[in-house]
């Protein structure tokens, strides 16, 4: 009870200072100001969607350098890290889709007041450089003979999103027939495309900024009326053993001082 009460006090202060939502990100003052080595020797476990590996690695390194905290990160598909959260092994939960955070809130796995929206996650079609199958629109994924890699609907957030997009477009049966591999993480989809083992996939737009993708793939936007743009949230687990450190980290990655890192890796600010 003491731990929960402490967290609630921290949260009241944080909300008063920081605001919430996509357009009012984090505190106006730097979250880590005067925090140099303030959490030396304290430990935090972050469960993050695998598609966030690039910005998260950079954010965690910066946080550790400033605070002295030790941050362990466990990457995986959103469904996978949701399972880790339910096993009480996460302090911070960052899936690739708000759907999983909503489930966590409904089941009291995270503190509802701690939920912060980070960025948008925009699905796009990715094809190998040169676009050998001349894919120019979503419906082209249904053409006979096109080889696809897609995320498992029960794995990464992009899997469920891809299925929804194709269902709404009326091409799901054809797309399923063309799918030669389902992956457990969105990162694996990138590998299949850049290695030219498939003709196309659906991934997150920000992944085009990765070094692994440079010069090896082309991005085809999905029209907004056909797309399912998602919001990436972060939240503090109710099972955290260090709610103070967890809240500082949670607020930090959603704050103004980290916007440049998110944008560097191709992520778009979210809007109300």
């Amino acid at each position: 009870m003491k731990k929960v009460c402490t967290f609630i006090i921290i949260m009241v202060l944080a909300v008063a200072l920081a605001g919430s939502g996509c357009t009012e990100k984090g505190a106006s003052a730097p979250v880590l100001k005067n925090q140099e080595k303030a959490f030396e020797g304290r430990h935090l476990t972050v469960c993050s969607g695998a598609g966030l590996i690039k910005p998260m690695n950079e954010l965690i390194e910066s946080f550790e350098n400033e605070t002295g905290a030790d941050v362990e990160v466990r990457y995986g598909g959103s469904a996978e890290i949701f399972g880790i959260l339910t096993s009480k092994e996460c302090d911070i939960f960052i899936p690739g889709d708000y759907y999983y955070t909503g489930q966590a809130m409904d089941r009291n796995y995270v503190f509802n007041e701690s939920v912060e929206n980070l960025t948008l996650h925009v699905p796009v079609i990715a094809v190998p450089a040169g676009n050998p199958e001349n894919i120019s629109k979503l419906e082209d994924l249904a053409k006979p003979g096109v080889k696809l890699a897609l995320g498992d609907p029960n794995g990464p957030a992009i899997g469920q999103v891809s299925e929804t997009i194709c269902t709404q477009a009326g091409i799901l049966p054809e797309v399923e027939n063309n799918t030669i591999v389902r992956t457990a993480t969105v990162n694996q989809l990138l590998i299949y495309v850049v290695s030219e083992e498939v003709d196309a996939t659906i991934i997150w737009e920000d992944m085009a900024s990765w070094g692994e993708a440079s010069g090896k793939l082309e991005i085809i936007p999905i029209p907004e009326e056909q797309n399912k743009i998602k919001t990436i949230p972060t939240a503090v687990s109710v099972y955290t053993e260090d709610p103070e450190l967890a809240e500082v980290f949670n607020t930090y990655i959603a704050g103004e001082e980290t916007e440049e890192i998110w944008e560097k890796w191709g992520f778009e600010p979210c809007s109300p």
Side-chain angles (χ1 to χ4, degrees):
M1 178 63 70
K2 182 178 179 180
K3 178 174 72 174
V4 173
C5 290
T6 301
F7 181 86
I8 291 173
I9 293 171
I10 293 168
M11 282 308 309
V12 169
L13 292 173
V15 170
L17 290 171
S20 61
C22 296
T23 55
E24 298 179 52
K25 295 183 61 180
S28 57
V31 174
L32 300 188
K33 187 176 181 180
N34 300 322
Q35 295 282 5
E36 185 174 359
K37 307 303 179 184
F39 296 97
E40 190 81 51
R42 289 159 71 170
H43 180 80
L44 198 66
T45 299
V46 175
C47 292
S48 171
L52 308 179
I53 188 170
K54 300 293 186 178
M56 286 306 303
N57 281 347
E58 189 168 339
L59 289 165
I60 287 170
E61 181 180 6
S62 174
F63 187 82
E64 288 181 324
N65 290 339
E66 290 290 329
T67 64
D70 174 34
V71 181
E72 174 189 357
V73 60
R74 301 178 69 173
Y75 292 112
S78 293
E80 178 185 355
I81 63 169
F82 185 84
I84 300 173
L85 174 69
T86 64
S87 298
K88 306 180 182 181
E89 298 176 33
C90 295
D91 295 292
I92 302 290
F93 180 56
I94 316 173
D97 184 348
Y98 199 96
Y99 167 83
Y100 294 94
T101 300
Q103 292 292 304
M105 294 168 70
D106 290 343
R107 302 180 191 186
N108 297 316
Y109 293 145
V110 298
F111 289 103
N112 291 7
E113 299 88 348
S114 73
V115 176
E116 296 266 11
N117 289 329
L118 297 174
T119 69
L120 295 181
H121 236 179
V122 182
V124 294
I125 298 167
V127 300
N131 194 2
E133 289 298 316
N134 296 313
I135 292 170
S136 62
K137 57 184 183 296
L138 186 62
E139 289 76 12
D140 288 342
L141 301 184
K143 293 192 303 187
V146 173
K147 293 184 296 182
L148 303 175
L150 292 176
D152 188 330
N154 297 312
I158 196 67
Q160 188 178 83
V161 170
S162 299
E163 186 173 83
T164 300
I165 290 172
C166 293
T167 298
Q168 290 181 166
I171 59 172
L172 184 62
E174 294 82 359
V175 165
E176 288 183 334
N177 287 337
N178 287 345
T179 301
I180 64 171
V181 62
R182 296 276 188 178
T183 68
T185 69
V186 68
N187 307 46
Q188 292 168 301
L189 295 174
L190 183 64
I191 294 171
Y192 277 104
V193 174
V194 300
S195 62
E196 301 184 18
E197 294 182 56
V198 296
D199 301 314
T201 187
I202 297 176
I203 59 173
W204 303 116
E205 182 180 39
D206 52 85
M207 298 178 73
S209 68
W210 293 16
E212 296 90 327
S214 180
K216 297 180 181 178
L217 61 74
E218 298 176 19
I219 292 298
I220 299 160
I222 299 172
E224 187 173 348
E225 63 272 15
Q226 290 184 301
N227 213 344
K228 294 291 289 184
I229 297 173
K230 296 297 181 177
T231 302
I232 302 173
T234 183
V236 176
S237 167
V238 299
Y239 304 115
T240 181
E241 295 185 358
D242 195 334
E244 181 185 12
L245 177 58
E247 174 55 24
V248 170
F249 181 85
N250 198 62
T251 303
Y252 168 67
I253 63 173
E256 293 177 0
E257 62 192 296
T258 61
E259 284 183 352
E260 286 188 8
I261 294 176
W262 288 108
E263 291 173 356
K264 168 185 172 181
W265 292 108
F267 288 86
E268 298 181 23
C270 52
S271 56

